[in-house]
Amino acid sequence: MELRTTVGIETRKAAPSELAQRIISKTSKGYRGPAILMLEDGTVFYGRSCGASGTATGEVCFNTSLEGYFEVFTDPSYAGQIVTMTYPQVGNYGIDPADVQSAYPGGDARGANTPALRGVVVHDMCATPSNWRSAVSVPAYLEQNGVVAIEGVDTRALVRHLRDHGAQKGIISTEFFGLMELANMLEAAPSLVGQNLVRTVSCAAAHPYTAADLPEQHAFASAPAPEPARHRVVVYDCGIKRGILEGLVRAGCELTVVPWDTSAEEVLAERPDGVFLSNGPGDPDAVEETYSQVRKLIGRVPLFGICLGHQMISLACGAEIEKLKFGHRGGNQPVMNLISHRVEITAQNHGFGLVFPSLGALVPELSGGVTEHPADGDLRFWVERGVAPVVDNDRFGRIRLTHVNLNDGTAEGIQLLDQPAFCVQYHPEAAPGPTDAHYLFTAFCRLMDGDPDYLNIDIAKDRLAGWVFATDDTK
């Protein structure tokens, strides 16, 4: 490993000068000691501790959301990762525990609803939040939950480096500062590729989730009552977010949440109207126990998958999954819906993606007359033509590409035309993020109702469903 440091800090010690420490200690931030971040390629960033003391390793990635840091920190899909927030200040509105996204029920390794990520990197951490809902500051929360964090980092430089060189292993420490010592610890740390991290965030036993479980603290923004329950849905918990469960319940689903490795036979014994496949962390190829069961479920019951669930359906169809250079993580990812020809601004969190051509050969008469997949793999080819291409899959028949990422041309959604199943690579629950994709919950209900045109929805109108807006009673 070639050791190098970021420009301007070649001679800087881990701790700032005594004068700098005294100045910081007199501010509301306070001085919490030095910290260091080292990447797998030897790049080093120095900063200050703003969470728990200790040392943590994981894949360093970045999230471009402007808000919703608490929902990001508690998203189980970040298991095994060190998350860099690109927005310059984090923590200014504090934390309300009601917004926690981890649905983890608790176990020997972690308590209920605790964050699964390994570490946090920010430019500036606010220690004195101001918000009527805030119950605890971000530094205090991270310290209480044992999450190592570093501030004072030039996150612009770090993100540019990750974009140029790709997401990679990293180590954060408030204990060790010798570069060779850190390099050796980092080399011994496992890679994200090949790890089944789903098993670390899934529930251990089946349990219900109903309207009674909806948080009362969200009543100021959410409709007072969800749609009446009319669909029985089994949810595969691969690290599901609470916001997803809430979205399904509000759409009129009665949920039974089951562990990630539940057999198809057990699922079908519940006689569900549909099966939902959740988001989750890590390498999808390592979650064979889930996608092998999905293969048995396709054609037996309506299926809807998001994020990792999208990859589970794709793998069940025999597709190839690739590791993306730096992934998609944030609440501002543009996606073209090839069915409606509308752009959705979406919330995403994934580092792997479907290789659409691996699903099969194109059906020219259903693909605008095109006979070959674009040679460069850029699916914006179809966006430019306004075509939702269809391939002939040797397992499940015709499969349509429905959504494409406008930033890099990767696949964001598919629909099985001969089986009741569809999936997207992004999140429809807006926790955090926009509500453009809320229509997907409606589409799932329409699929369970037997509507063959279930994806034909006015997404602009549907995105407002379930939200409360202030009204002017004086008019």
Side-chain angles (χ1 to χ4, degrees), residues 37-40 45 57-65 72-73 75-87 116-123 150 153-163 165-172 192 197 281-282 323-330 333 348-352:
L37 167 66
M38 173 183 279
L39 302 182
E40 187 176 9
F45 294 84
T57 60
E59 182 184 76
V60 181
C61 61
F62 60 89
N63 185 292
T64 58
S65 295
V72 170
F73 295 163
D75 181 347
S77 295
Y78 280 114
Q81 294 181 306
I82 295 171
V83 181
T84 304
M85 301 300 295
T86 62
Y87 193 74
L117 82 174
R118 298 280 176 79
V120 173
V121 181
V122 301
H123 176 67
I150 181 174
V153 170
D154 184 346
T155 50
R156 296 169 301 176
L158 174 56
V159 169
R160 286 174 65 92
H161 187 83
L162 295 176
R163 285 178 59 89
H165 302 282
Q168 55 189 283
K169 287 195 299 182
I171 184 168
I172 299 178
L192 190 71
L197 291 169
K323 180 78 163 65
L324 302 178
K325 186 175 182 180
F326 47 80
H328 306 146
R329 299 177 181 89
Q333 298 281 333
Q348 303 199 15
N349 176 15
H350 63 103
F352 295 81

Side-chain angles (χ1 to χ4, degrees), residues 116-144:
L117 82 174
R118 298 280 176 79
V120 173
V121 181
V122 301
H123 176 67
D124 178 59
M125 180 68 80
C126 177
T128 54
S130 177
N131 184 274
W132 67 275
R133 297 183 67 232
S134 178
V136 63
S137 71
V138 174
Y141 176 84
L142 296 176
E143 189 168 15
Q144 291 166 11

Side-chain angles (χ1 to χ4, degrees), residues 121-268:
V121 181
V122 301
H123 176 67
D124 178 59
M125 180 68 80
C126 177
T128 54
S130 177
N131 184 274
W132 67 275
R133 297 183 67 232
S134 178
V136 63
S137 71
V138 174
Y141 176 84
L142 296 176
E143 189 168 15
Q144 291 166 11
N145 287 276
V147 178
V148 183
I150 181 174
E151 70 167 323
V153 170
D154 184 346
T155 50
R156 296 169 301 176
L158 174 56
V159 169
R160 286 174 65 92
H161 187 83
L162 295 176
R163 285 178 59 89
D164 291 341
H165 302 282
Q168 55 189 283
K169 287 195 299 182
I171 184 168
I172 299 178
S173 184
T174 64
E175 304 171 305
F176 307 102
F177 297 93
L179 298 187
M180 288 308 303
E181 184 177 22
L182 291 167
N184 291 335
M185 296 169 68
L186 187 52
E187 186 175 3
S191 169
L192 190 71
V193 176
Q195 278 198 81
N196 181 352
L197 291 169
V198 168
R199 68 172 78 245
T200 69
V201 292
S202 178
C203 61
H207 62 92
Y209 192 94
T210 68
D213 297 303
L214 296 175
E216 295 180 3
Q217 297 93 330
H218 290 174
F220 73 95
S222 302
E227 292 290 326
R230 58 190 181 91
H231 295 294
R232 297 181 66 247
V233 174
V234 171
V235 175
Y236 269 89
D237 178 9
C238 295
I240 195 165
K241 295 174 68 176
R242 284 181 58 191
I244 293 292
L245 295 172
E246 293 169 15
L248 289 167
V249 167
R250 291 191 177 280
C253 298
E254 177 185 307
L255 308 181
T256 298
V257 184
V258 300
W260 68 283
D261 56 352
T262 302
S263 71
E265 292 74 19
E266 292 176 83
V267 169
L268 293 172

Side-chain angles (χ1 to χ4, degrees), residues 339 356 388-391 398-402 413-417:
I339 305 299
F356 178 68
V390 176
V391 298
R398 298 169 302 161
I399 298 179
R400 171 188 287 155
L401 177 69
T402 56
I414 58 173
Q415 175 189 19
L416 278 63
L417 298 181

Side-chain angles (χ1 to χ4, degrees), residues 210-374:
T210 68
D213 297 303
L214 296 175
E216 295 180 3
Q217 297 93 330
H218 290 174
F220 73 95
S222 302
E227 292 290 326
R230 58 190 181 91
H231 295 294
R232 297 181 66 247
V233 174
V234 171
V235 175
Y236 269 89
D237 178 9
C238 295
I240 195 165
K241 295 174 68 176
R242 284 181 58 191
I244 293 292
L245 295 172
E246 293 169 15
L248 289 167
V249 167
R250 291 191 177 280
C253 298
E254 177 185 307
L255 308 181
T256 298
V257 184
V258 300
W260 68 283
D261 56 352
T262 302
S263 71
E265 292 74 19
E266 292 176 83
V267 169
L268 293 172
E270 294 286 330
R271 301 181 65 84
D273 298 313
V275 173
F276 180 83
L277 303 161
S278 85
N279 60 291
D283 186 348
D285 282 312
V287 196
E288 193 273 339
E289 290 93 330
T290 301
Y291 67 77
S292 63
Q293 301 309 308
V294 174
R295 187 178 302 134
K296 299 176 184 178
L297 291 170
I298 293 177
R300 304 285 299 279
V301 62
L303 293 174
F304 173 33
I306 67 157
C307 200
L308 184 80
H310 165 77
Q311 297 159 2
M312 293 297 97
I313 290 178
S314 299
L315 285 166
C317 294
E320 175 187 345
I321 302 295
E322 65 179 343
K323 180 78 163 65
L324 302 178
K325 186 175 182 180
F326 47 80
H328 306 146
R329 299 177 181 89
N332 44 17
Q333 298 281 333
V335 168
M336 172 60 78
N337 182 323
L338 296 175
I339 305 299
S340 67
H341 302 290
R342 305 267 316 245
V343 174
E344 303 167 26
I345 303 303
T346 68
Q348 303 199 15
N349 176 15
H350 63 103
F352 295 81
L354 162 67
V355 180
F356 178 68
S358 67
L359 283 169
L362 289 171
V363 180
E365 59 270 27
L366 298 176
S367 305
V370 179
T371 59
E372 298 292 337
H373 291 284

Side-chain angles (χ1 to χ4, degrees), residues 389-421:
V390 176
V391 298
D392 184 16
N393 182 259
D394 59 7
R395 292 184 180 178
F396 297 112
R398 298 169 302 161
I399 298 179
R400 171 188 287 155
L401 177 69
T402 56
H403 298 79
V404 172
N405 188 291
L406 293 178
N407 283 338
D408 61 7
T410 53
E412 291 281 2
I414 58 173
Q415 175 189 19
L416 278 63
L417 298 181
D418 299 317
Q419 312 293 341

